[in-house]
Amino acid sequence: MLGLRKGVIGFLGFMFLVFSYNILNNGPLQIRSQAGQVQSSTSTQIKLWGVPFRPLEPCWTEPSRKSNRKEWGYVLVRCSQGPHHHRFQIADAVIVARQLGATLVIPIVKEGLTELASNFDDLYTVKHFIATLEGVVRIMGRLPEDLRGLNHTSIQVPYRITKPYIDQNIRPIFEKSTVIVLDDFLPSMEDVEEEQDVEMEAIRCLIKYKALMFQSQIEKLGNRLNNRMKEAAQRAGGKYVAVDYRSTDTACEEERDVVHTKSKRCLSPRALGLLLQSHGFARETAIYLTQTRLDESFDPLLNLFPNVITKEYSMPFNEESQFLYSGRTQLELAIDFYICSHSDVLVPIHSNTFYTAVAGERIKLGLPHILVPSLVTRPKQATETTLLLGVSQMVAAKTHPAYSCLCEHGMSERLAKEPTSPASS
């Protein structure tokens, strides 16, 4: 009996020690665990959604505005391939007209080889465009009546045209023709040293980040679709991902997960889903895809991410006929440009002009979180590469041209271009 009593007393004493240890240690242990969870959660959120930045403001050198300059002759420009190309095409047209001392006619927007041209004011606010360029170049709505209907000389020009090129190749034609049409834009001249002309760069900044403003209907529709995406993303805190998935490369039609061509990387819908999943995006993540609609080939993506949304799904019924079924691809591209510029994250599958132009707009708006697919070689497996998402090099190292045009309030251009963190892939 005495032995039993001692055993009970010993057991109770042991339990008291255990209880005391828990009382003394449970609080700090729980706090450390919670702190670890918070830290992990915060780093994951930054990895997925980035951190907010303040919108940037113009800090380029203002181009001289010569109100008493004498103009002679006219320059027309036919823009094509969407708003992401228009910025570069119109900037070059303004530079050509200014260098020649000519009047710029309001641009024409080409829909395609078999489609009708659109009016400039179908996409952009004309009054804002003219007011922004007042004194930089003279602008007219259309050619004088006696020059309409004639066959005018069409000229091919390279992107990022230079003054010497204009004087040597375009001026002789212009002086004979009076009216020239910039109708075909070629790749930039790789064998010509980049001309560092402050005034020309200022004009390019002015066009890309101020002069071209979408007309009110596109702005309102884009804002409405952006809000719809945020509503669809409520389970992810109202944040969504925009993926530019479009490609005209026939190699992308091959039935393989990843296809590498000379200039592009193509991903199957399944590979896209696996790539987003490997980066940590949850199944319920809302994804805007730059497709008009989805067919059965996207089922593997929908199995991984069922909350994939397209223009057809998100657009109000009464505006579908105007924007989706009118055959005017420029309007669809304008909506894609707007949504990809305002999403919480952009994932551009292809490194192209759309990516460059949208990245500039996002930098201006303070939304620089862009995740770009890149091939990474494992240290211990030199022969194997993995496709991962990494922060855009143009943003991380601040090498995007936007950083030469835009700064934080009160910040100089030099400080604006200093990297804030080590460059990523």
Side-chain angles (χ1 to χ4, degrees):
M1 185 71 180
L2 182 62
L4 178 62
R5 183 180 300 174
K6 288 181 177 180
V8 171
I9 293 172
F11 175 76
L12 292 175
F14 173 77
M15 292 302 296
F16 177 78
L17 290 174
V18 171
F19 177 76
S20 300
Y21 178 85
N22 284 336
I23 290 294
L24 293 172
N25 290 280
N26 190 47
L29 284 174
Q30 188 175 23
I31 291 173
R32 284 197 294 270
S33 174
Q34 289 177 345
Q37 290 175 1
V38 171
Q39 184 178 9
S40 174
S41 175
T42 301
S43 61
T44 299
Q45 289 299 308
I46 292 175
K47 177 185 176 184
L48 295 179
W49 305 108
V51 293
F53 283 76
R54 287 183 295 178
L56 301 187
E57 300 179 355
C59 62
W60 59 78
T61 302
E62 187 72 12
S64 62
R65 298 178 183 263
K66 305 173 183 176
S67 58
N68 59 348
R69 184 175 53 241
K70 291 184 179 180
E71 284 83 11
W72 175 82
Y74 301 89
V75 172
L76 290 85
V77 56
R78 292 195 178 104
C79 302
S80 60
Q81 300 177 277
H84 48 294
H85 281 276
H86 298 170
R87 282 157 164 69
F88 303 97
Q89 294 164 349
I90 293 174
D92 282 339
V94 170
I95 288 170
V96 169
R98 182 180 172 92
Q99 181 68 6
L100 296 175
T103 295
L104 178 71
V105 179
I106 287 289
I108 299 168
V109 179
K110 290 194 302 184
E111 291 290 341
L113 295 176
T114 60
E115 301 172 9
L116 297 175
S118 292
N119 293 324
F120 186 75
D121 59 5
D122 289 337
L123 289 175
Y124 303 107
T125 305
V126 175
K127 288 184 178 179
H128 176 79
F129 179 73
I130 295 174
T132 303
L133 293 174
E134 184 178 1
V136 175
V137 66
R138 183 170 180 255
I139 300 175
M140 288 184 64
R142 56 194 304 190
L143 284 171
E145 191 170 353
D146 60 324
L147 295 176
R148 297 174 201 164
L150 302 178
N151 290 325
H152 302 298
T153 304
S154 293
I155 297 178
Q156 292 182 325
V157 294
Y159 277 107
R160 294 191 63 82
I161 199 166
T162 63
K163 288 181 179 179
Y165 185 93
I166 296 171
D167 291 334
Q168 295 168 18
N169 299 278
I170 298 179
R171 188 178 294 278
I173 301 173
F174 173 71
E175 290 177 349
K176 293 178 182 178
S177 305
T178 308
V179 179
I180 59 171
V181 183
L182 309 184
D183 196 26
D184 191 8
F185 289 83
L186 306 173
S188 298
M189 301 171 289
E190 296 181 357
D191 58 337
V192 176
E193 185 177 349
E194 184 73 17
E195 182 183 17
Q196 298 299 321
D197 187 297
V198 174
E199 187 168 80
M200 288 178 65
E201 293 309 307
I203 290 173
R204 289 192 170 99
C205 292
L206 188 65
I207 298 296
K208 288 189 286 187
Y209 302 113
K210 188 174 181 181
L212 291 179
M213 177 189 293
F214 284 132
Q215 54 101 325
S216 59
Q217 186 180 8
I218 292 177
E219 287 277 345
K220 290 177 182 177
L221 179 58
N223 187 53
R224 195 180 310 162
L225 297 187
N226 184 48
N227 289 335
R228 284 197 173 189
M229 287 301 306
K230 290 186 177 297
E231 290 173 5
Q234 284 304 309
R235 293 182 66 183
K239 296 180 179 181
Y240 71 94
V241 180
V243 179
D244 178 33
Y245 190 72
R246 293 170 291 107
S247 176
T248 57
D249 196 320
T250 54
C252 293
E253 299 174 5
E254 297 182 24
E255 294 185 0
R256 285 189 286 163
D257 277 351
V258 182
V259 178
H260 296 284
T261 68
K262 182 177 180 181
S263 59
K264 297 178 181 177
R265 178 182 298 114
C266 312
L267 297 180
S268 70
R270 175 179 175 275
L272 171 60
L274 292 174
L275 180 64
L276 294 171
Q277 190 180 69
S278 69
H279 192 72
F281 286 107
R283 175 177 170 81
E284 64 270 13
T285 300
I287 300 171
Y288 177 86
L289 209 61
T290 55
Q291 300 280 122
T292 300
R293 57 192 65 84
L294 300 179
D295 56 33
E296 62 276 5
S297 67
F298 286 91
D299 288 348
L301 173 62
L302 293 171
N303 289 336
L304 295 171
F305 291 94
N307 201 8
V308 175
I309 297 170
T310 63
K311 289 184 286 296
E312 185 180 62
Y313 180 84
S314 59
M315 190 167 293
F317 178 77
N318 62 335
E319 293 179 300
E320 282 185 353
S321 59
Q322 178 181 353
F323 283 87
L324 299 186
Y325 309 127
S326 64
R328 299 163 73 187
T329 56
Q330 303 294 320
L331 294 176
E332 289 192 44
L333 290 170
I335 295 300
D336 283 339
F337 189 97
Y338 186 96
I339 297 298
C340 288
S341 298
H342 289 78
S343 64
D344 298 282
V345 181
L346 172 66
V347 178
I349 299 303
H350 313 292
S351 180
N352 53 18
T353 306
F354 186 88
Y355 162 40
T356 303
V358 170
E361 190 70 10
R362 292 181 66 89
I363 290 168
K364 183 183 81 170
L365 296 173
L367 298 168
H369 196 52
I370 303 171
L371 299 175
V372 180
S374 59
L375 285 171
V376 178
T377 303
R378 299 295 185 184
K380 296 182 180 180
Q381 300 169 322
T383 59
E384 294 186 15
T385 56
T386 305
L387 191 63
L388 300 175
L389 286 176
V391 176
S392 166
Q393 171 72 28
M394 292 193 296
V395 173
K398 293 194 173 181
T399 58
H400 192 285
Y403 290 109
S404 297
C405 299
L406 306 163
C407 309
E408 290 186 17
H409 182 69
M411 180 185 289
S412 68
E413 179 185 332
R414 180 186 62 81
L415 290 175
K417 294 177 71 174
E418 289 184 0
T420 54
S421 61
S424 302
S425 58

